[in-house]
């Protein structure tokens, strides 16, 4: 397994090996699926759309409906305007979406297709039926990562839909970040439990965790509606969860409609969830019900009961920056030592944040943004860990180095659960604890000699 | 369910159904799409539109040229470093997702678990990426010392004018290893198919014919076999039992070293005609190796293919051995299939996949007593549907002209006819060599063929004909299953396999039985939805 990876680390400037990120458009496609009645549209070659749909399908085990402008060489030379017009005509005739969310690709970005003008012209020419909306976002694959694409499409929702009419309603916007349908559902549940009216956008719950009912819903019942998106401009405040995936939309909403925002970490783990609940209290004045405080207590209960299996263990983490910031804090709260942390997404602020989090406990942490799994593997070879936490690609390193492995983040292509069970909130913290303790104890059970094979642990 | 399916099919006039489906399209689209569909009628010559542009916005299964080149043909070669020149996505998505299994040879070189990319950034798009590509090749060389490197262009590379051929040549001279560049930008052609062709050209020009190591005996290359779920290993197992030696496989579990010797084989076996027929043709012209179209999917098809190979070699001892292997393997396979066949007999299938599997799997379904009622390719050409006799009359459109045809001549030193001209002529006349009759002739009267099917067409066909199983790819899998119809992925085999050969056929039978007859399908409706609410007794609460 990964037999050709040398322990010796050589500096690389040009070659990316085993990336810990993918390109912007897939994030935009995922975000678009969180609008009710939306058909995502990939403006570029067919392969982009095929790859993104395939990858999201492998992760969610759900239909991922999206269309493409099917560029050929002609479009690459003369621009993709004609292709987009044909695509809009076909989509609205055949699939009748309420919203088409167009994202670009490296091809259409390199050509320089002017999406706003093309969409405006299509509307003037009657290609976009009355009452239907076409939105767009620019997602050049050569900038940022899939997280940037998600952030850009979420910001476009604000640009196209949010309206201000001078009134402020008793409503909070929550931008949940690039998380699972289960997480978005949990965020809505927490907000409802606290008696807070909220608009969560995008919202892929009831879209990408749809039940088997024997019939295909091209547009499942979930997703934030266009009306809800319009209302975001009248909200009292916005909670943006995650600086990388959610802050841009919150900034745009403040700029466009004057809705102030608070930037929080993704509520993963106990401390970040505490801050999320506290922020909700501070903004709305609502008290969390006992059920939430009890759930929190259950998390602490597991932490105190199981600390012997977690304390002092070295952990390597990789994935998306917003996830990692919260998760690193969580494993620190558990007394573990996060010694290697990498994200594929560029951003020095990620490195600064992780270093700040660990300055007292792991001052010499290896942390890097715009890094890859090849480097992570080499770090582990040089400084072994007791637990690896990351997306599905980590299983190869885990096998090569024989390390217990917890799947966390996007994508997870070989297991189920992430769509249904959250990692956010206290419920999520319990689930993560169960997974981590399980992985470590499974390993202990595997390795212990017979005489030390314990019944009670 | 199957009786219902068959009665649906006989009740419905398929021509009317197709007309009704395309009526929902804008007028021009309707006209265009109708030419991609036909109802099989063996009594008249039939023509289908294929390998032309997909209608934008229609929701297609198709991918791009890069996917066909790097993803399908070149990526599976285990002992080469495959560097993708472009933004990160293209390399990332083709990283271990296609299930082309492979093992290192004695040299230990296996790069299948690795993903290499130049991860182009904005400044590379603006100022050009050649320097970064050169540096990437050099870094790969310094870390791994591979014997060969491939470079694959993605969409923006062609547009910004990076000359990857030049980079390959320069770096090859500098490092002293083979570096092969493929201009497989995603926008070329109309589907993955363009990429297959580009990949074939590169392999033929730069790899095949470079190492003249002679092999004794009955030697073949398996062309167009990608070792999904271990198919190639099952095929090799059977061929070896027969005494037939596989010199190289293009390209599942493929080896650069073995491909360099491929021109020394006596015969080429073409499994996926669409993706590799170019290689077969070029190797025949240059080296005198004839090719046979085989189908290793299905018990009877496997035996038929083995007999074709024996017929070509025309050696009594080999023929005897082949017959012995067929007898033993068939008996065991048919016994393995039998319990499943009992539960599957008479059921119906749709097949929308690839450029050959929609044809090949019809044989395997026949082994199971099942009937393929609708089939179509994602990126096939007319010759894959109608047979190679259409080739001389195919007009190249602008999209096909973009893909360079290389001029091939007999190699002055290596051309070696494998049979006398008379025998070759005779084998050609019989249709044994250099021949593919296509999918359509194998389909029953009244069955439907749809090329490059759209989501809309798929949904309408399933709703109307209610098949027992639909075989397609990952993008369709859960779409189909949400309709309450089981779906088998025939690109990735649902992470199972092998399905080729005798043992593969039994695997497939077991899994189709499992899918179609699983109790889960009967649980879709909740009990309280089946019972009228009036039955409830409110007093009990």
């Amino acid at each position: 397994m990964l037999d050709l990876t040398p322990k010796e680390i050589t500096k690389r400037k040009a070659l990316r090996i085993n990336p810990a990120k993918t390109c912007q458009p897939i994030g935009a496609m995922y975000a678009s699926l969180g609008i009710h009645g939306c058909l995502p549209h990939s403006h570029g070659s067919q392969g982009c759309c095929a790859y993104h749909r395939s990858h999201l399908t492998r992760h969610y085990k759900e239909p991922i409906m999206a269309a493409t402008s099917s560029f050929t060489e002609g479009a690459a030379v003369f621009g993709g305007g004609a292709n987009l017009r044909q695509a809009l005509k076909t989509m609205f005739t055949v699939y009748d979406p309420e919203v088409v969310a167009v994202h670009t690709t490296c091809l259409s970005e390199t050509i320089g297709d002017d999406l706003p003008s093309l969409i405006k012209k299509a509307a003037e020419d009657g290609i976009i039926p009355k009452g239907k909306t076409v939105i767009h976002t620019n997602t050049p694959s050569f900038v940022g990562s899939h997280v940037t694409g998600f952030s850009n499409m979420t910001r476009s929702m604000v640009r196209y839909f949010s309206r201000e009419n001078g009134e402020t309603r008793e409503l909070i916007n929550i931008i949940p970040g690039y998380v699972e349908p289960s997480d978005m559902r949990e965020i809505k549940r927490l907000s409802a439990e606290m008696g807070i009216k909220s608009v969560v956008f995008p919202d892929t719950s009831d879209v990408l965790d749809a039940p088997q009912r024997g019939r295909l819903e091209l547009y499942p019942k979930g997703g934030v509606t266009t009306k809800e998106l319009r209302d975001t401009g009248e909200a009292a405040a916005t909670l943006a969860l995650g600086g990388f995936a959610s802050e841009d939309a919150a900034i745009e909403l403040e700029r466009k409609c004057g809705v102030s925002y608070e930037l929080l970490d993704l509520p993963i783990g106990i401390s970040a969830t505490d801050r999320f609940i506290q922020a909700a209290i501070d903004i709305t004045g609502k008290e969390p019900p006992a059920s939430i405080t009890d759930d929190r207590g259950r998390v602490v209960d597991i932490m105190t009961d199981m600390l012997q299996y977690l304390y002092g263990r070295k952990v390597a983490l990789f994935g998306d920056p917003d996830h990692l910031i919260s998760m690193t804090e969580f494993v620190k709260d558990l007394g573990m030592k996060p010694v290697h942390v990498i994200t594929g997404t560029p951003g020095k602020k990620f490195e600064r944040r992780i270093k700040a989090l660990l300055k007292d406990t792991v001052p010499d942490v290896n942390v890097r943004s715009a890094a890859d799994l090849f480097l992570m593997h080499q770090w582990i070879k040089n400084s072994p860990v007791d637990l690896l936490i990351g997306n599905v690609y980590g299983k190869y390193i885990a096998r090569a180095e024989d390390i217990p492995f917890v799947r966390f983040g996007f994508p997870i292509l070989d297991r189920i659960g992430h769509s249904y069970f959250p990692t956010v909130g206290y419920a999520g913290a319990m689930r993560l604890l169960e997974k981590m303790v399980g992985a470590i104890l499974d390993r202990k059970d595997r390795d212990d000699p017979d005489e030390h094979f314990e019944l009670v642990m | 369910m199957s009786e219902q399916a068959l009665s649906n099919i006989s009740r419905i006039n398929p021509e009317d159904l197709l007309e009704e489906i395309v009526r929902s399209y804008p007028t021009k689209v309707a006209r265009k799409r109708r030419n991609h569909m036909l109802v099989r009628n063996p009594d008249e010559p039939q023509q289908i539109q294929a390998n032309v542009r997909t209608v934008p916005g229609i929701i297609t299964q198709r991918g791009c040229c890069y996917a066909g080149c790097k993803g399908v043909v070149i990526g599976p070669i285990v002992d080469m470093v495959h560097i993708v020149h472009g933004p990160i996505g293209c390399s990332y998505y083709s990283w271990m997702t296609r299930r082309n299994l492979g093992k290192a040879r004695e040299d230990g070189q296996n790069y299948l678990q690795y993903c290499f990319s130049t991860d182009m950034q904005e400044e590379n798009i603006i100022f050009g990426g050649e320097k970064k590509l050169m540096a990437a090749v050099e870094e790969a060389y310094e870390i791994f010392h591979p014997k060969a490197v491939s470079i694959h262009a993605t969409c923006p590379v062609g547009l910004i004018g990076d000359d990857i051929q030049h980079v390959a040549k320069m770096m090859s001279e500098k490092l002293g290893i083979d570096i092969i560049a493929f201009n497989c930008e995603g926008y070329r052609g109309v589907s993955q198919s363009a990429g297959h062709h580009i990949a074939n050209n590169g392999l033929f020009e730069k790899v095949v014919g470079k190492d003249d190591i002679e092999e004794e005996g009955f030697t073949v290359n398996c062309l167009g076999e990608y070792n999904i779920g271990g198919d190639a290993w099952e095929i090799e197992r059977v061929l070896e039992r027969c005494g037939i030696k596989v010199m190289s496989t293009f390209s599942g579990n493929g080896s650069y070293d073995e491909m360099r010797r491929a021109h020394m084989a006596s015969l080429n076996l073409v499994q996926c005609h669409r993706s590799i027929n170019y290689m077969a043709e070029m190797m025949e012209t240059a080296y005198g190796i004839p090719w046979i179209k085989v189908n290793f999917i299905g018990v009877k098809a496997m035996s038929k293919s083995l007999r074709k190979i024996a017929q070509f070699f025309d050696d009594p001892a080999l023929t005897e051995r082949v017959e012995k292997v067929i007898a033993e393997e068939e008996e065991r396979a048919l016994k393995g299939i039998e319990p499943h066949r009992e539960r599957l007999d008479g059921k119906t299938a749709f097949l929308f996949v690839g450029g050959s599997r929609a044809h090949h799997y019809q044989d395997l379904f026949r082994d199971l007593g099942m009937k393929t009622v609708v089939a179509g390719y994602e990126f096939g050409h007319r010759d894959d549907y109608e047979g190679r006799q259409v080739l001389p009359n195919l007009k190249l459109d602008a999209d096909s002209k973009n893909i360079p045809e290389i001029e091939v001549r007999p190699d002055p030193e290596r051309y070696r006819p494998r049979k006398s001209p008379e025998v070759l002529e005779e084998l050609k006349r019989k249709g044994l060599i250099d021949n593919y009759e296509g999918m359509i002739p194998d389909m029953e009267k009244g069955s439907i063929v749809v090329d490059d099917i759209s989501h809309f067409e798929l949904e309408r066909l399933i709703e109307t004909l209610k098949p027992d199983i639909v075989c397609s790819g990952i993008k369709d899998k859960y779409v189909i299953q949400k309709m309450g119809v089981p779906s088998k992925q025939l690109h990735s085999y649902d992470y199972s396999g092998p399905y080729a050969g005798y043992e593969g056929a039994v695997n497939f039978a077991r899994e189709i039985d499992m899918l179609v007859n699983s109790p889960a399908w009967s649980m879709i409706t909740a009990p309280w939805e089946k019972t009228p609410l009036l039955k409830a007794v409110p007093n009990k609460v």
Side-chain angles (χ1 to χ4, degrees):
Chain A
M1 190 54 53
L2 296 173
D3 293 334
L4 305 172
T5 304
K7 188 175 173 185
E8 186 200 346
I9 299 170
T10 43
K11 201 165 167 55
R12 284 176 283 132
K13 280 188 184 153
L15 185 64
R16 175 73 62 218
I17 313 174
N18 299 353
K21 66 167 179 184
T22 182
C23 62
Q24 281 209 46
I26 195 172
M29 187 182 279
Y30 176 57
S32 308
L33 290 164
I35 303 175
H36 180 71
C38 177
L39 188 59
H41 183 80
S42 165
H43 188 55
S45 297
Q46 274 163 191
C48 311
C49 186
Y51 275 137
H52 301 143
R53 288 182 65 202
S54 298
H55 210 66
L56 290 171
T57 305
R58 289 178 182 122
H59 178 80
Y60 291 105
K61 320 289 184 208
E62 286 292 314
I64 305 289
M65 304 311 299
T68 164
S69 289
S70 293
F71 277 33
T72 55
E73 194 142 3
V77 175
F78 301 111
N83 291 54
L84 185 64
R85 290 167 69 86
Q86 176 64 59
L88 290 172
K89 214 179 281 176
T90 313
M91 283 186 282
F92 281 117
T93 309
V94 185
Y95 298 114
D96 194 31
E98 198 176 327
V99 179
V100 170
V102 185
H103 61 262
T104 57
T105 58
C106 48
L107 178 54
S108 52
E109 285 291 333
T110 307
I111 299 168
D113 274 351
D114 178 4
L115 268 285
S117 304
L118 289 171
I119 292 168
K120 191 162 165 266
K121 185 80 177 33
E124 286 165 6
D125 295 348
I127 291 174
I128 303 169
K130 283 229 152 43
K132 309 281 185 175
T133 314
V134 177
I135 70 172
H136 93 284
T137 201
N138 292 93
T139 48
S141 319
F142 41 78
V143 175
S145 75
H146 57 292
V147 180
T148 323
F150 181 94
S151 166
N152 286 345
M153 183 52 90
T154 307
R155 184 177 55 193
S156 281
M157 293 174 198
V158 174
R159 283 191 177 153
Y160 275 91
F161 292 108
S162 302
R163 294 280 177 274
E164 186 197 10
N165 68 358
E167 284 177 33
T168 300
R169 300 215 268 171
E170 202 182 298
L171 182 73
I172 298 292
N173 301 318
I174 304 178
I175 309 176
Y178 197 148
V179 293
E180 301 293 331
S182 53
D183 296 321
M184 296 177 184
R185 190 184 292 286
E186 178 64 8
I187 287 165
K188 286 195 293 186
R189 189 188 71 83
L190 285 171
S191 151
E193 282 237 334
M194 289 183 68
I196 298 169
K197 268 197 195 155
S198 63
V199 174
V200 172
F201 74 97
D203 177 9
T204 58
S205 63
D206 282 322
V207 179
L208 295 179
D209 55 358
Q212 170 62 281
R213 303 286 286 136
R215 57 179 182 268
L216 174 72
E217 306 283 354
L218 199 56
Y219 308 108
K221 69 178 176 186
V224 62
T225 63
T226 53
K227 185 190 172 303
E228 288 169 324
L229 281 173
R230 276 193 292 275
D231 291 348
T232 57
E234 297 167 19
T238 301
L239 293 181
L241 309 184
F244 282 82
S246 301
E247 190 175 14
D248 280 355
I251 292 172
E252 183 69 16
L253 199 45
E254 187 173 68
R255 192 195 58 77
K256 185 177 173 185
C257 305
V259 182
S260 65
Y261 76 94
E262 183 161 353
L263 175 64
L264 296 166
D265 293 322
L266 273 182
I268 291 173
I270 188 154
S271 300
T273 303
D274 285 351
R275 291 195 294 275
F276 171 70
I277 298 293
Q278 190 62 52
I281 296 168
D282 295 345
I283 287 175
T284 62
K286 309 249 184 190
E287 283 289 317
S291 60
I292 289 181
T293 313
D294 283 351
D295 271 345
R296 183 185 186 281
R298 276 183 270 274
V299 175
V300 183
D301 198 53
I302 302 171
M303 287 168 69
T304 54
D305 294 349
M306 289 290 129
L307 64 87
Q308 75 183 90
Y309 300 112
L310 302 169
Y311 192 84
R313 303 266 179 170
K314 287 183 183 166
V315 193
L317 303 107
F318 69 92
D320 298 338
D322 292 336
H323 284 75
L324 284 177
I325 288 167
S326 302
M327 193 65 184
T328 301
E329 186 180 20
F330 188 34
V331 298
K332 187 199 79 169
D333 289 343
L334 299 173
M336 304 172 91
K337 287 198 179 308
V339 291
H340 311 305
V341 188
I342 67 134
T343 181
T345 300
K348 288 287 173 199
K349 69 179 174 187
F350 168 78
E351 297 178 14
R352 287 195 295 271
R353 186 69 203 286
I354 295 290
K355 278 183 182 152
L357 272 170
L358 299 173
K359 67 177 189 306
D360 297 328
T361 49
V362 193
D364 54 349
V365 59
N366 281 320
V367 55
R368 197 164 303 169
S369 60
D372 57 34
L373 294 183
F374 190 73
L375 177 69
M376 169 64 102
H377 190 182
Q378 291 182 312
W379 278 352
I380 291 173
K381 276 179 182 293
N382 286 285
S383 172
V385 294
D386 305 305
L387 183 67
L388 177 65
I389 298 175
N391 64 33
V392 64
Y393 295 96
K395 75 191 259 182
Y396 291 84
I397 297 176
R399 183 170 163 126
E401 304 303 325
D402 197 23
I403 315 167
F405 174 48
V406 168
R407 285 166 180 76
F408 169 72
F410 175 86
I412 296 172
L413 310 176
D414 65 339
R415 295 290 189 273
I416 53 156
H418 44 276
S419 313
Y420 309 109
F421 308 110
T423 56
V424 302
Y426 300 119
M430 276 185 259
R431 178 164 184 254
L432 287 169
L433 271 167
E434 185 202 3
K435 281 184 156 210
M436 285 188 274
V437 172
I440 286 166
L441 292 186
D442 280 349
R443 175 54 51 98
K444 188 171 152 51
D445 275 346
R446 191 199 77 179
D447 291 348
D448 278 343
D450 280 2
E451 62 276 21
H452 282 285
F453 188 65
E454 304 279 352
L455 179 71
V456 185
M457 291 163 96
Chain B
M1 195 165 167
S2 68
E3 275 169 26
Q4 188 198 355
L6 284 172
S7 84
N8 282 330
I9 287 149
S10 53
R11 190 165 41 80
I12 291 157
N13 179 335
E15 294 282 359
D16 292 349
L17 172 60
L18 298 182
E19 288 300 328
E20 186 235 294
I21 288 175
V22 299
R23 254 201 306 275
S24 300
Y25 286 134
T27 321
K28 273 190 196 163
V29 177
R31 232 179 359 250
K32 187 175 151 53
R33 283 304 304 157
R34 189 62 184 85
N35 294 329
H36 291 260
M37 307 167 178
L38 60 80
V39 179
R40 173 68 181 138
N41 180 2
D43 305 329
E44 58 181 45
Q46 290 186 292
Q47 188 177 321
I48 194 162
Q49 178 85 279
N51 190 36
V52 295
R53 291 179 191 179
T54 299
V55 177
I58 202 162
I59 308 190
T60 173
Q61 300 179 319
R62 281 178 167 180
C64 65
C65 180
Y66 162 84
C69 179
K70 196 274 180 180
V72 172
V73 182
I74 306 299
I77 303 173
V78 298
D79 54 353
M80 286 174 77
V81 165
H82 306 296
I83 299 179
V84 179
H85 186 38
I88 196 66
C90 304
S91 189
Y92 173 90
Y93 298 115
S94 59
W95 179 24
M96 298 187 294
T97 46
R98 192 162 159 268
R99 299 199 68 237
N100 40 266
L101 310 185
K103 280 184 197 163
R105 308 301 198 267
E106 277 177 5
D107 60 12
Q109 303 270 297
N110 177 358
Y111 295 97
L112 292 187
Q113 293 143 13
Y114 293 88
C115 168
F116 302 97
S117 169
T118 55
D119 190 6
M120 284 175 102
Q121 299 298 301
E122 193 154 25
E123 64 266 24
N124 310 127
I125 300 290
I126 296 167
F127 302 111
E130 285 183 20
K131 277 191 184 138
K132 189 168 196 187
L133 176 60
M134 277 188 251
V137 173
E138 194 145 6
E139 287 171 6
Y141 182 77
E142 278 164 16
I143 298 170
F144 300 101
H145 298 285
K147 51 194 152 194
V149 173
S150 70
I151 296 169
H152 303 263
T154 61
C155 287
V157 168
L159 244 57
I160 62 173
D162 275 3
D163 187 347
I164 63 166
Q165 299 294 342
H166 176 67
V167 170
K169 191 163 175 285
M170 270 179 36
M171 294 309 291
S172 179
E173 282 163 11
K174 183 175 178 184
L175 303 173
I177 57 167
D178 271 357
I179 300 179
I180 309 155
F182 297 91
N183 282 99
C184 55
E185 287 87 348
Y187 56 76
R188 290 191 196 277
V190 298
S191 69
Q192 293 94 312
S193 178
H196 304 147
H197 196 162
I198 289 164
N200 276 235
N201 288 351
L203 284 183
F204 178 78
E205 283 190 311
K206 303 280 170 55
V207 181
V208 174
K210 307 295 184 219
D211 185 3
D212 300 329
I213 292 181
E214 197 93 50
E215 279 271 2
E216 296 285 308
F218 305 106
T219 52
V220 299
N221 299 309
C222 283
L223 304 188
E225 167 48 56
Y226 298 103
N227 201 28
I228 309 302
D231 275 357
W233 291 323
E234 163 65 2
I235 293 165
E236 265 175 56
R237 179 188 72 82
V238 177
L239 289 175
E240 268 171 31
R241 280 201 69 195
C242 296
I244 299 159
K245 162 102 181 125
V246 179
M247 285 194 64
S248 73
T249 301
F250 286 65
S251 58
N253 188 36
S255 141
Y256 165 80
D257 292 332
E258 290 162 17
M259 286 178 171
R260 280 160 58 90
R261 301 196 280 269
H263 62 292
M264 304 300 285
S266 305
L267 177 66
N268 278 329
L269 309 178
V270 171
Q271 171 81 344
C272 174
H273 175 262
R274 178 67 271 128
S275 61
I276 212 82
N277 77 91
Y278 320 96
M279 178 62 73
E281 286 284 296
M282 291 187 287
M283 279 172 79
E284 177 151 28
T285 308
Y287 306 113
I289 311 176
W291 61 270
I292 289 183
K293 174 72 185 76
V294 289
N295 177 19
F296 294 133
I297 304 294
V299 176
K300 299 282 182 223
M302 180 79 193
S303 301
K304 190 176 158 194
S305 297
L306 291 176
R307 290 193 173 107
K308 275 170 134 184
I309 300 167
Q311 199 186 339
F312 172 83
F313 283 115
D314 194 22
D315 176 275
L318 175 71
T319 306
E320 198 187 317
R321 225 166 24 243
V322 165
E323 287 302 330
K324 188 169 164 279
V325 170
I326 289 175
E328 285 173 19
E329 295 275 349
E330 267 201 7
E331 193 195 343
R332 197 166 50 193
L334 293 174
K335 214 169 138 194
I337 284 176
E338 193 44 42
H340 308 294
R341 191 187 153 103
E342 278 170 22
R343 285 188 288 271
L344 294 171
D345 195 34
K347 294 198 184 283
T348 56
F350 286 6
L351 280 164
F352 303 108
V353 61
S356 69
R357 286 184 192 158
H359 182 194
H360 290 162
Y361 277 81
Q362 296 190 26
D363 280 324
L364 184 42
F365 275 125
R366 264 189 285 271
D367 289 341
L368 307 183
M370 293 175 67
K371 192 175 161 185
T372 305
V373 289
V374 189
Y377 296 129
E378 181 180 331
F379 46 76
H381 296 199
R382 274 186 59 199
D383 42 319
D384 305 304
Y385 285 107
E386 301 168 48
R388 283 180 72 90
Q389 76 283 353
V390 304
L391 281 175
N393 304 320
L394 276 190
K395 274 193 235 117
L396 283 187
D397 62 10
D399 298 311
S400 298
K401 278 185 193 151
N402 291 334
I403 305 148
E405 284 278 353
I406 50 180
E407 203 184 320
V408 183
R409 292 168 193 280
D411 186 295
E413 284 148 36
R414 295 182 181 83
Y415 183 83
R416 184 164 53 87
R418 270 45 176 188
K419 301 265 177 189
S420 71
E422 298 74 35
V423 172
L424 285 175
E425 204 43 54
E426 173 67 10
L427 292 176
K428 258 185 214 170
R429 200 185 50 74
K430 283 186 186 160
L432 185 79
I433 59 165
D434 309 350
N435 181 41
Y436 177 43
E437 285 168 4
M439 173 172 88
I440 289 177
D442 266 356
M443 293 192 67
E444 277 182 42
K445 186 169 184 161
S447 57
I448 295 173
V449 182
V450 183
D451 173 65
D452 182 20
I453 196 165
S454 71
H455 166 77
F456 176 72
E457 293 157 17
L458 177 72
E459 201 181 320
R460 290 293 296 118
L461 283 165
I462 294 173
E463 275 170 5
T464 316
L465 300 178
K466 300 187 168 34
D468 295 297
I469 191 156
V470 178
C471 299
S472 188
I474 181 69
K475 300 192 290 295
D476 294 329
K477 165 105 183 173
Y478 305 102
V479 169
I480 296 159
Q481 298 213 148
K482 275 285 192 286
M483 299 176 82
V485 177
S487 175
K488 183 83 198 158
Q489 293 183 61
L490 278 189
H491 294 275
S492 74
Y493 295 176
D494 285 333
Y495 326 109
S496 177
Y499 293 157
Y502 297 108
E503 290 182 3
V506 180
N507 291 339
F508 189 75
R510 189 190 316 115
E511 287 172 28
I512 295 298
D513 184 6
M514 169 185 82
L515 264 171
V516 171
N517 295 312
S518 160
W521 301 108
S522 65
M523 294 176 185
I524 289 176
T525 309
W528 52 91
E529 288 173 323
K530 291 177 195 161
T531 324
L533 282 173
L534 290 173
K535 267 192 168 179
V537 187
N539 299 350
K540 271 194 171 176
V541 182

